[in-house]
Amino acid sequence: MAEVTNTLGRRKTAVARLYMTPGNGTILVNGRALNEYFPSEILQIIVNQPFALTKTEGAYDIKANLDGGGIKGQAEALRLAISRALQEIDPERRPALKKEGFLTRDPRMVERKKPGRKKARRKFQFSKR
């Protein structure tokens, strides 16, 4: 059987678990085709960026399990997982992927709501009387 590369990508609260094998470019996300799971073309472009950069479009089959977060966070988590897998297969690709920032886990998270506040930083409306 072909070599399976297993990687993980995260963004906000989204987690992408990825299984990449050499193949013909089939991408299955939670058992559905990529263009079915991400109908927006922009999100499809985000997912395919690492392949375009390393000129490996159609060279690998992907099975991904996405969980948590929103649709954009999931797409960016999947991009990180794909980038990590490509780098794991061929370490020569690392400088190009790193330069574009595809190997960096975006650390920004939602700030927690504080007591005595409406949201994280928004105060309740001030009433003079």
Side-chain angles (χ1 to χ4, degrees):
M1 190 172 156
E3 186 66 30
V4 178
T5 308
N6 174 241
T7 54
L8 189 79
R10 289 194 175 99
R11 170 74 170 98
K12 290 187 174 179
T13 57
V15 180
R17 289 173 300 154
L18 182 105
Y19 305 92
M20 187 187 273
T21 54
N24 55 12
T26 311
I27 300 178
L28 280 180
V29 181
N30 291 356
R32 289 153 60 190
L34 178 73
N35 54 2
E36 193 187 319
Y37 193 85
F38 294 120
S40 159
E41 204 174 310
I42 291 161
L43 296 177
Q44 290 174 34
I45 290 167
I46 286 173
V47 171
N48 286 309
Q49 275 176 327
F51 293 124
L53 182 72
T54 55
K55 296 176 181 60
T56 51
E57 296 104 323
Y60 298 100
D61 286 346
I62 288 174
K63 275 175 76 176
N65 295 317
L66 292 179
D67 189 49
I71 195 159
K72 171 99 171 171
Q74 286 186 349
E76 292 186 9
L78 185 54
R79 178 177 73 182
L80 177 61
I82 290 169
S83 301
R84 283 177 172 173
L86 287 171
Q87 179 222 300
E88 203 173 295
I89 291 164
D90 182 7
E92 305 275 300
R93 297 179 180 139
R94 185 175 169 83
L97 289 165
K98 192 158 175 64
K99 185 172 178 281
E100 289 298 314
F102 294 162
L103 296 174
T104 309
R105 155 69 158 106
D106 193 334
R108 295 176 295 175
M109 295 292 278
V110 176
E111 195 173 329
R112 78 174 197 90
K113 187 202 171 295
K114 319 294 189 301
R117 298 268 173 114
K118 195 174 181 113
K119 289 166 69 177
R121 298 189 177 199
R122 168 111 169 88
K123 296 182 175 77
F124 291 111
Q125 185 173 332
F126 178 72
S127 170
K128 201 166 186 176
R129 282 169 198 61

